[in-house]
Amino acid sequence: MKFNGRNISVSPDALIGENVRIGDNAVIYAGVRIGDDSIICNDVTLGEPLNAYYSDDAYVNPPTILGPGALIRSHSIIYAGCTIGAGFSSGHHCVIRENAVFGDHCSIGTMTDIEGEVQIGDYCRLHSNVHIAQTCSIGNYVWFYPFSVMTNDPYPPSIDIRGGHVGDYTQVAVHAIILPGVEVGENCLIGANAVVSKTVPSFSLAMGDPASVVMDLRNYIVMGKGRPYPWMRRFDRGMPWEGIGFENWLNQQPAKAERA
Amino acid sequence: MKFNGRNISVSPDALIGENVRIGDNAVIYAGVRIGDDSIICNDVTLGEPLNAYYSDDAYVNPPTILGPGALIRSHSIIYAGCTIGAGFSSGHHCVIRENAVFGDHCSIGTMTDIEGEVQIGDYCRLHSNVHIAQTCSIGNYVWFYPFSVMTNDPYPPSIDIRGGHVGDYTQVAVHAIILPGVEVGENCLIGANAVVSKTVPSFSLAMGDPASVVMDLRNYIVMGKGRPYPWMRRFDRGMPWEGIGFENWLNQQPAKAERA
Amino acid sequence: MKFNGRNISVSPDALIGENVRIGDNAVIYAGVRIGDDSIICNDVTLGEPLNAYYSDDAYVNPPTILGPGALIRSHSIIYAGCTIGAGFSSGHHCVIRENAVFGDHCSIGTMTDIEGEVQIGDYCRLHSNVHIAQTCSIGNYVWFYPFSVMTNDPYPPSIDIRGGHVGDYTQVAVHAIILPGVEVGENCLIGANAVVSKTVPSFSLAMGDPASVVMDLRNYIVMGKGRPYPWMRRFDRGMPWEGIGFENWLNQQPAKAERA
C-alpha cells in the first residue's frame, strides 16, 4: 500500500537503481542517485536543494549518492551533496543537511538531525533525536543515544566553528554533550547527561558535568556479568563480526588489528 | 479545509467508525480500527507496517486499535500493533512504534517518540519531545515534560534491555532521565535535568545528577501557597475528578482508595 | 521542481503577496496573509486551525501574518493567530503554536517547537530542537542552541504558568534550561546543560545545575583571542550591524544606545 506511485515527483536527472521502491508523495530531486534494492518510503525527500536554489537561476543541484540497500523511512529529508554508503537506514522525520558523509551500514533514528559537512564512518548507530553539528566527525561502530549532541562553536556565536571527533567503538549515552572541538577516544563510554569539555583518552568511562574520567573501562566489572567493555566481544547484532566473533573478524582485518 | 478527501489512502481492510474525519494525504493501512468520533488530521499515518512488510510477501499487518474520540494531529505516525484507548490526542510529528499500549484519555505532545512495547496507563500527559524507550512502563495520571526520557539499556549496546517504571501521579520534569530498569514510585516529582539511577520511593522529590531524594513531597511548603503536592487536590483539568474533587472521586474508586 | 502547483490547497480567504512561491502539498488556511517575495516550501501548513475548528461550526480562523521575504522550509506548521515579522526563516518539521509573535529577521532551526503566546524580538536565532513554553518572552539578538528550553510551570502540573524572559544579546547554550518565571539579563552566556533557577544579571556567565554566576563576561579573556564577550563586536553575519560595525550601528540607534 505504500508504493502506489501516487503524487510522486522524480526528477528526470535522478538515477534510480534496480529494484528500488518509491513511496507515495516522495520527491527525488535532480542529481540524486539511488542504489539498487533501496526502499524510499512515503513523503521522503532526497536531494533537497541548497539555499541558492531559491535565488540563483543557474543553480545546479549537487550530486546526492545513496548506496544500495537503503531504507529511508517516511518524512525524512536528505539534502543534496550527501554521500551515504550501502545499507543505510533512517527513522522518520530525520534531516541530513548538505555534504554529510556516511560510511556503510549506518542507521539513524527518528528525528535525528545531522547538520552539514559531517563525516560519519561505518556501522554507526545514531538513535532518535541525536544532533550532530557541522564539521563534526565520528569514527566506526559508534553509537549515540537520544538527545546526545556534538557541538561546534566554542564562543557562540562565531564563524570559527570547530567540530570534535568521537573515536571507533565509543558509546555516547542519552543527553550527553560533546563540547566544540573535543576529541573523544576509541572504546569510551560517555555517561548519561555528561558534558565533555576536554580530551577523553581511549577506554575511558567519562561522567558528570563537566565530565571527568572515572575509570578505565577495561577494569569495569559488573557482579555476575563480568567485564561489559569493550562491548564487541558480547554484542554483534548488525555488526560485521555477527556470528563469527569479534576476535575472528578482527584477525581478518589486518589494518584494524594493529590498534585494537 | 482539512477534510477534502484529497490524496487519501485508506485500506479496504481498515475499519473506520462513525463520524470519523480523515485529513488530506492521510494513509490508513490494513488492520487499523478507528473508534467513533475520531479526527485524523492531514498527513497522518495509522498502522505503519513493521519491517517485515518490505521483505515478506506473506506479511500481514497486525491490528492497530485507536479508541473513540481520538484527535491525531498532522504528520504523526502510529505503527501497526498499537492499542490506544479512548480520548487519545497527539501533537504533530509524533511517532508511536509497534505494540505500544496506551490506556484511556492520554495525550502526547509534538515530536514525542514512543518506542515499541511500551505500556502507558490512563490519563497520562507526555509533552513535546518526550522519548520513552522500548519495554518501559508508566502508570496512570503521570506527566512527562519536554526532553525527558526513559531509557532501557544498562550496558549499551546490549540485547539485555530493561525498561523502568514510573508510578501513578508522578511528574517527570524537563530533561530528566530515568536510567534503565529504575523504578520510580507514585506521587513523585523528578526535578529538571535529574538523572535517576536507583529506586525512588513514593512521595519523593528527587533532584540532581545522580538524583537523590531531597524531601518527602508531603512536607514541601511554598510560602503563600501551602503544600503543592500531592497535586491532585489543586489540579483537575482533564482529569476524571474534574469538577467533583479528588477525594470525592477517589471515594468512588474502591480499588484505588486503598493505596492513596 | 518544488513549485509545480501539485496537490496544493490555498483558502480563498488567504492573501498571498507578490512573487510568493508555494511548494507542492502545502496547505494555506483562511486568514493567512503572506508577505511579498516569500517562499513556502513543500508540505508546509500555514494558519493551522485551533482546536475549536474541530467542534464549533461557527469557528473563524484568526489572522496569521507572515512578513515579506519569509522562507518556510518543508513540513513546518505555523498555527493561526501568529504574527511573524519580515525576513523570517524556518528549518524543517518546525511547529509554531497559536498567537506566537516574532519580530523581524528571526530564524528557527529544524524541529524547533514554539508553544503558544510566546513573544520573540528581532534578529533572534533559535537553532534545531529548541523548545519555548507558553507565555515566555525573548528579547532581540538572542540565540538558543539545540535542546535548550524555556519552561513555565513552577509546580507541575498547574494552571498558574509563568514564562520567564531572556534579555537582548544573550546566548543560551545546548541543553540549557530556563526554569519557570526566571529573568535572564542582557548579554549573558548560559552554559551548556545549565539549569537556571533564579535571576541572572546582565553580562553574566552562568553555569551548572543549579546555575550560578561564575564570572562577569566582560572580564572573560581567552588566550590569543582577547575578550569574546560582548560578542557583537566580533560577529555580524545576518545582524543589522553587518559590514558597518556594532558601534557605528549602535550610534545610529538612539533608543538602544542608552542601555548598551
Side-chain angles (χ1 to χ4, degrees), chain C residues 130-183:
Chain C
V130 171
H131 178 92
I132 308 293
Q134 281 181 32
T135 74
C136 292
S137 66
I138 297 175
N140 307 295
Y141 322 105
V142 173
W143 302 55
F144 276 74
Y145 295 88
F147 304 116
S148 58
V149 55
M150 292 184 78
T151 63
N152 67 9
D153 190 349
Y155 308 105
S158 79
I159 55 168
D160 180 24
I161 62 174
R162 283 190 268 157
H165 177 75
V166 172
D168 293 357
Y169 305 113
T170 286
Q171 304 283 311
V172 180
V174 289
H175 276 261
I177 299 169
I178 312 296
L179 287 177
V182 170
E183 301 282 319

Side-chain angles (χ1 to χ4, degrees), chain A residues 2 6 21 73 92 128, chain B residues 7 48 51 54 79 113 147:
Chain A
K2 266 180 203 293
R6 188 166 48 84
R21 288 176 281 176
R73 289 192 179 81
H92 306 275
S128 301
Chain B
N7 192 35
E48 173 78 13
N51 284 345
Y54 301 107
Y79 268 67
D113 178 26
F147 303 117

Side-chain angles (χ1 to χ4, degrees), chain A:
Chain A
M1 242 188 76
K2 266 180 203 293
F3 308 108
N4 309 299
R6 188 166 48 84
N7 191 36
I8 288 174
S9 178
V10 178
S11 166
D13 297 327
L15 266 171
I16 314 294
E18 299 288 313
N19 190 30
V20 168
R21 288 176 281 176
I22 297 180
D24 300 341
N25 310 310
V27 182
I28 317 288
Y29 286 96
V32 171
R33 182 172 165 175
I34 305 177
D36 297 346
D37 305 309
S38 290
I39 301 169
I40 310 302
C41 295
N42 287 16
D43 299 282
V44 162
T45 305
L46 297 182
E48 173 78 13
L50 313 189
N51 284 345
Y53 170 87
Y54 302 107
S55 55
D56 178 0
D57 287 341
Y59 175 79
V60 177
N61 217 26
T64 309
I65 311 297
L66 183 61
L71 170 54
I72 310 299
R73 289 192 179 81
S74 68
H75 300 267
S76 287
I77 300 165
I78 299 176
Y79 268 68
C82 290
T83 303
I84 296 176
F88 181 78
S89 82
S90 89
H92 306 275
H93 303 300
C94 296
V95 176
I96 304 177
R97 294 289 302 270
E98 59 269 21
N99 305 323
V101 176
F102 280 86
D104 293 332
H105 303 293
C106 289
S107 70
I108 64 174
T110 286
M111 290 179 252
T112 275
D113 179 25
I114 308 294
E115 296 294 302
E117 320 292 339
V118 160
Q119 296 267 348
I120 298 178
D122 298 330
Y123 289 96
C124 290
R125 302 270 174 274
L126 280 53
H127 279 233
S128 301
N129 267 302
V130 171
H131 178 91
I132 308 293
Q134 281 180 29
T135 72
C136 292
S137 65
I138 298 175
N140 306 296
Y141 321 104
V142 173
W143 301 55
F144 275 73
Y145 294 88
F147 304 116
S148 58
V149 55
M150 291 184 79
T151 64
N152 66 8
D153 189 350
Y155 308 106
S158 78
I159 54 168
D160 180 23
I161 63 176
R162 282 189 268 158
H165 177 75
V166 171
D168 293 358
Y169 305 112
T170 285
Q171 304 283 310
V172 180
V174 289
H175 276 260
I177 300 169
I178 312 296
L179 287 176
V182 170
E183 302 281 319
V184 175
E186 301 188 354
N187 268 303
C188 294
L189 173 57
I190 308 299
N193 219 31
V195 179
V196 182
S197 58
K198 58 185 188 202
T199 301
V200 177
S202 292
F203 295 102
S204 298
L205 171 58
M207 298 173 70
D209 174 8
S212 56
V213 174
V214 298
M215 182 187 281
D216 184 311
L217 268 177
R218 290 167 292 195
N219 298 331
Y220 181 29
I221 299 180
V222 176
M223 201 84 78
K225 281 182 181 279
R227 298 178 194 268
Y229 296 96
W231 55 269
M232 298 82 74
R233 277 129 187 126
R234 61 176 174 83
F235 183 93
D236 67 1
R237 192 178 57 203
M239 295 290 119
W241 55 89
E242 187 168 2
I244 59 173
F246 181 70
E247 301 295 347
N248 292 333
W249 170 81
L250 202 63
N251 290 334
Q252 299 162 12
Q253 316 284 322
K256 286 174 180 160
E258 287 163 24
R259 65 182 187 202

Side-chain angles (χ1 to χ4, degrees), chain B residues 81-84 96-102 114-118:
Chain B
C82 289
T83 302
I84 295 177
I96 304 178
R97 295 288 302 269
E98 59 270 21
N99 305 323
V101 175
F102 280 87
I114 309 294
E115 297 293 301
E117 320 292 338
V118 160

Side-chain angles (χ1 to χ4, degrees), chain C residues 7 10 12-13 74 83 99 108 121 133 136 145 149-150 165 171 174 184 204 207 211 241 248-249 252:
Chain C
N7 192 33
V10 178
D13 298 328
S74 69
T83 303
N99 305 322
I108 64 173
C136 292
Y145 295 88
V149 55
M150 292 184 78
H165 177 75
Q171 304 283 311
V174 289
V184 175
S204 298
M207 299 174 69
W241 55 90
N248 291 334
W249 169 79
Q252 299 160 11

